[in-house]
C-alpha cells in the first residue's frame, strides 16, 4: 500500500479504498478516519520492523494533516473529495506531458521517475492519466542504477518534490470542512502511537493540540460532547462513538505523559456514558443518548466496519479503565458485552475484529507496568519504542492518587513495578530486570 496508488506518495495520506487487488487505482477521496487509523498501523509496524518506509509514511500523513486539513481553531477537517474539475483523480494523476514537464529543469531524473512510478505515454489509468505507484523494491533500482540506498532515496525525494511542485498548480479537490469529534479523537490516538514509535515531539504536540480543541469546543460542563464543529459553532449531541474514541484518546495521552487529568476526564466521560447510553438489560450501549429526541427504535451497533463498532470500542475502554481505577464493575460489563457477540467473533472475525482484540485483552493483557519517580517520563520514551500490546503502562512523577500507582512514589529514585492480577512484584530500579514479554 505504501508504494503508491491508494497512497499519495507526493502529498501524504491515503485514499478511501482501492478498486483493484493490487492497491493501484483508488477511489481518490481522502478520509480523516482512514488516515488516523493507518497512522497507528504504520507506527506499530515500525515498532516491530524498524523499516524506514513506515516512518516516512507517518511523517507524510502528519505533513498532509498540518498542511491541508487543520482548521485555525486547531480541529481537523473531515475529508477531501475525489474529484476536481469534474474528473475523479485528476488532481492526483498526471498525463504523460504533465509528468515530463515536471522535470524540465532536471531531466537527469526523468527516466528513473518514469520507471519508478510506472508512467507511460498512453497512461496506466483511464483518459490517458497515470496513477503514481511502485512495483519494485529499492534493491532493484540500486542494482540497475549502480547506486547506494542513500543515493536512491535522495533521488526519490527529489522526484517527489518536483512532482509535488507541479501538482500545486492544479485545481484542488473540494474540502469537507466540518470537524467531527469521533474522527479527531481517532487521530489523537494515531498521533500518540506515532509519537511512541518515533519519539518525535511533533506528534505529541499535535495530539495535545487536538485534545485542547475538543475540550474547549465539544466538551460541555455537564459532561456532554457535541459531535460536529463548523464555522465556529458546535452541533449534534454526541453519539456513543464520539465518547468512546475520545476516551481512548485520553487514555493514550496519559500513557505517554503520565498526566492523570487525562484519565480523570476519561473516567468522567465513561460515567456519563453509563448514565445516558447503557442498557442494563441487554448489557450493551445505545448509539444515542437518552437525552436525545425519542426514536421509534433506539439502535445499538455490534459489528466492526471501517471504524470499529462503538460497543466494541467501549468494551476496550472499560477493560483499560478497570485496571487504572481497579473498578471491577467496568471489567464485568466489558465481559458481558463480549459474551453477547462471542459466537460472531469466533465464526466471523473479519466483521468483529475489534471485538477479537477485546477477547485478546481479556485472555492476554494480564500485566501492568508501573513506573514511578522523577525520571518516569524520560524512561517511558524508551519503553514506548518497543511493541508491547499486552502490557498496560502506568506511571507518575509525583505522589499519585490513582489506584494503580498509589503509594508507589519515591522522591529519590525511579522504581519499576510489574503487576499482575492486582498484585505487584517487588520494585526494581532498572527496566532490564523485568520480563516484559
Amino acid at each position: 500500500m505504501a508504494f503508491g496508488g491508494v497512497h499519495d506518495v507526493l502529498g501524504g495520506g491515503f485514499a478511501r479504498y482501492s478498486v483493484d487487488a493490487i492497491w493501484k487505482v483508488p477511489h481518490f477521496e481522502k478520509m480523516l478516519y482512514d488516515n488516523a487509523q493507518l497512522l497507528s498501523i504504520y507506527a506499530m509496524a515500525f515498532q516491530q520492523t524498524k523499516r524506514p518506509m513506515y516512518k516516512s509514511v507517518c511523517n507524510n500523513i502528519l505533513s498532509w494533516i498540518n498542511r491541508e486539513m487543520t482548521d485555525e481553531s486547531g480541529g481537523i477537517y473531515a475529508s477531501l473529495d475525489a474529484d476536481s474539475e469534474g474528473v475523479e483523480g485528476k488532481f492526483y494523476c498526471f498525463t504523460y506531458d504533465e509528468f515530463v514537464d515536471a522535470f524540465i529543469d532536471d531531466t537527469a531524473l526523468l527516466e528513473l521517475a518514469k520507471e519508478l512510478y510506472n508512467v507511460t505515454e498512453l497512461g496506466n489509468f483511464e483518459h490517458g492519466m497515470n496513477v503514481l505507484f511502485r512495483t519494485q523494491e529499492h534493491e532493484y533500482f540500486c542494482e540497475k542504477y549502480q547506486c547506494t540506498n542513500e543515493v536512491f532515496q535522495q533521488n526519490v525525494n527529489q522526484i517527489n518534490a518536483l512532482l509535488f511542485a507541479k501538482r500545486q498548480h492544479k485545481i484542488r479537490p473540494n474540502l469537507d470542512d466540518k470537524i467531527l469529534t469521533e474522527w479527531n479523537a481517532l487521530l489523537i490516538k494515531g498521533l500518540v502511537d506515532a509519537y511512541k514509535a518515533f519519539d518525535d515531539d511533533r506528534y505529541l504536540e499535535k495530539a495535545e493540540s487536538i485534545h485542547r480543541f475538543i475540550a474547549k469546543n465539544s466538551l460541555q460542563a455537564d459532561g456532554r460532547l457535541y459531535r460536529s464543529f463548523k464555522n465556529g459553532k458546535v452541533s449534534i449531541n454526541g453519539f456513543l462513538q464520539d465518547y468512546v474514541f475520545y476516551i481512548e484518546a485520553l487514555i493514550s495521552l496519559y500513557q505517554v505523559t503520565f498526566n492523570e487529568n487525562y484519565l480523570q476526564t476519561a473516567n468522567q466521560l465513561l460515567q456519563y456514558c453509563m448514565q445516558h447510553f447503557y442498557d442494563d438489560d441487554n448489557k450493551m450501549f445505545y448509539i444515542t443518548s437518552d437525552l436525545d429526541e425519542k426514536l421509534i427504535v433506539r439502535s445499538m451497533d455490534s459489528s466492526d466496519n471501517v471504524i470499529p463498532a462503538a460497543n466494541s470500542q467501549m468494551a476496550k475502554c472499560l477493560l483499560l479503565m478497570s485496571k487504572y481505577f481497579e473498578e471491577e464493575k467496568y471489567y464485568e460489563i466489558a465481559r458481558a458485552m463480549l459474551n453477547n457477540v462471542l459466537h460472531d467473533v469466533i465464526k466471523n472475525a473479519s466483521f468483529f475484529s475489534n471485538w477479537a482484540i477485546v477477547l485478546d485483552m481479556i485472555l492476554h493483557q494480564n500485566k501492568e507496568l508501573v513506573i514511578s519517580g522523577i525520571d518516569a517520563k524520560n524512561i517511558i520514551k524508551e519503553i514506548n519504542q518497543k511493541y508491547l500490546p499486552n502490557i498496560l503502562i502506568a506511571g507518575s512523577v509525583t505522589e499519585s492518587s490513582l489506584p494503580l500507582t498509589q503509594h508507589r512514589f519515591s522522591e529519590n529514585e525511579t522504581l519499576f513495578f510489574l503487576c499482575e492480577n492486582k498484585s505487584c512484584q517487588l520494585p526494581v530500579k532498572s527496566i532490564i530486570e523485568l520480563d516484559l514479554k
Side-chain angles (χ1 to χ4, degrees):
M1 288 172 61
F3 264 6
V6 72
H7 176 221
D8 180 3
V9 292
L10 304 184
F14 287 79
R16 190 173 187 180
Y17 56 82
S18 174
V19 300
D20 55 47
I22 61 171
W23 306 102
K24 172 188 171 183
V25 179
H27 173 53
F28 289 88
E29 187 178 16
K30 288 185 184 178
M31 310 298 296
L32 179 59
Y33 63 76
D34 286 321
N35 286 280
Q37 294 175 97
L38 284 163
L39 196 54
S40 291
I41 292 295
Y42 277 92
M44 288 186 284
F46 180 84
Q47 284 177 314
Q48 296 177 73
T49 67
K50 306 303 179 185
R51 188 176 186 186
M53 175 179 279
Y54 298 158
K55 182 177 182 179
S56 176
V57 167
C58 291
N59 286 338
N60 289 338
I61 291 175
L62 178 61
S63 296
W64 169 66
I65 292 290
N66 286 333
R67 185 181 63 249
E68 300 182 33
M69 301 299 288
T70 302
D71 185 72
E72 62 181 11
S73 66
I76 312 301
Y77 301 133
S79 67
L80 285 173
D81 286 352
D83 299 358
S84 57
E85 300 181 77
V87 178
E88 181 174 348
K90 187 172 183 179
F91 178 77
Y92 299 101
C93 298
F94 289 84
T95 66
Y96 183 77
D97 290 341
E98 286 175 334
F99 189 90
V100 170
D101 192 53
F103 297 89
I104 193 168
D105 296 322
D106 200 340
T107 55
L109 285 175
L110 179 57
E111 291 307 312
L112 171 60
K114 288 193 292 185
E115 185 175 13
L116 179 70
Y117 289 128
N118 293 284
V119 171
T120 69
E121 291 190 52
L122 295 177
N124 60 35
F125 182 40
E126 60 189 19
H127 309 306
M129 295 193 295
N130 287 279
V131 176
L132 303 185
F133 76 106
R134 284 176 59 178
T135 51
Q136 297 288 352
E137 293 279 355
H138 65 279
E139 290 88 354
Y140 165 84
F141 293 101
C142 291
E143 181 178 349
K144 179 173 181 177
Y145 291 91
Q146 293 297 294
C147 65
T148 64
N149 184 57
E150 289 75 19
V151 169
F152 169 70
Q153 193 56 55
Q154 290 172 6
N155 287 334
V156 172
N157 292 342
Q158 180 63 15
I159 287 169
N160 289 349
L162 291 169
L163 290 169
F164 181 80
K166 177 68 175 178
R167 197 174 77 177
Q168 291 296 89
H169 298 289
K170 293 189 174 188
I171 296 175
R172 305 186 62 79
N174 290 329
L175 172 72
D176 182 350
D177 63 352
K178 65 176 176 289
I179 300 170
L180 297 176
T181 301
E182 174 192 3
W183 298 2
N184 275 251
L186 276 167
L187 181 59
I188 292 174
K189 176 63 165 57
L191 290 164
V192 171
D193 286 338
Y195 170 71
K196 289 163 64 176
F198 312 132
D199 188 21
D200 185 336
D201 288 340
R202 294 179 304 155
Y203 289 98
L204 180 58
E205 290 166 2
K206 189 69 174 181
E208 293 190 308
S209 173
I210 299 169
H211 155 67
R212 289 192 294 270
F213 165 83
I214 295 174
K216 177 183 177 181
N217 297 284
S218 300
L219 183 58
Q220 306 301 300
D222 62 358
R224 288 186 304 121
L225 281 173
Y226 277 104
R227 177 166 177 78
S228 184
F229 177 95
K230 183 170 180 175
N231 297 329
K233 297 180 180 179
V234 290
S235 63
I236 309 175
N237 197 28
F239 300 149
L240 180 63
Q241 49 263 46
D242 296 299
Y243 289 85
V244 293
F245 288 110
Y246 188 36
I247 290 169
E248 185 185 38
L250 290 164
I251 294 171
S252 69
L253 284 168
Y254 163 76
Q255 290 174 339
V256 295
T257 65
F258 296 150
N259 181 344
E260 292 179 15
N261 290 331
Y262 288 130
L263 276 189
Q264 296 296 344
T265 301
N267 198 38
Q268 291 164 13
L269 289 166
L270 194 54
Q271 293 286 342
Y272 186 91
C273 291
M274 293 292 297
Q275 181 180 355
H276 295 289
F277 292 85
Y278 186 57
D279 179 37
D280 192 49
D281 293 332
N282 291 315
K283 308 299 182 187
M284 295 286 270
F285 289 76
Y286 290 108
I287 295 299
T288 55
S289 166
D290 60 7
L291 300 178
D292 288 332
E293 181 180 349
K294 301 301 180 185
L295 303 173
I296 297 174
V297 176
R298 196 173 168 209
S299 63
M300 297 175 175
D301 69 341
S302 59
S303 61
D304 299 311
N305 207 295
V306 290
I307 298 177
N311 269 287
S312 66
Q313 191 66 19
M314 174 58 84
K316 283 177 65 177
C317 292
L318 285 163
L319 288 175
L320 294 171
M321 296 294 279
S322 73
K323 292 178 179 289
Y324 284 120
F325 288 92
E326 295 184 356
E327 180 57 73
E328 189 68 20
K329 179 181 178 182
Y330 291 168
Y331 178 79
E332 293 302 327
I333 292 173
R335 284 203 62 144
M337 295 173 71
L338 176 61
N339 283 335
N340 286 335
V341 298
L342 188 57
H343 175 81
D344 294 312
V345 175
I346 295 170
K347 294 294 185 180
N348 199 2
S350 61
F351 288 96
F352 293 84
S353 53
N354 205 46
W355 286 110
I357 293 174
V358 173
L359 175 60
D360 182 67
M361 289 172 68
I362 290 175
L363 295 175
H364 299 125
Q365 192 182 59
N366 50 14
K367 292 182 180 180
E368 301 91 42
L369 174 62
V370 178
I371 309 168
S372 185
I374 56 175
D375 204 31
K377 285 176 66 174
N378 291 325
I379 292 171
I380 194 59
K381 290 184 178 183
E382 178 182 351
I383 295 172
N384 280 335
Q385 292 180 52
K386 306 178 186 299
Y387 183 64
L388 301 170
N390 292 322
I391 295 179
L392 187 77
I393 301 293
S396 64
V397 294
T398 60
E399 192 63 59
S400 170
S401 60
L402 196 69
L404 189 56
T405 53
Q406 195 172 23
H407 307 312
R408 295 200 167 100
F409 179 74
S410 173
E411 289 186 359
N412 301 319
E413 56 190 351
T414 298
L415 300 174
F416 301 85
F417 301 81
L418 193 60
C419 309
E420 188 171 358
N421 296 326
K422 297 184 179 179
S423 98
C424 296
Q425 300 174 10
L426 291 174
V428 296
K429 297 181 180 180
S430 170
I431 193 68
I432 62 174
E433 299 179 57
L434 297 174
D435 179 13
L436 296 181
K437 294 180 182 178

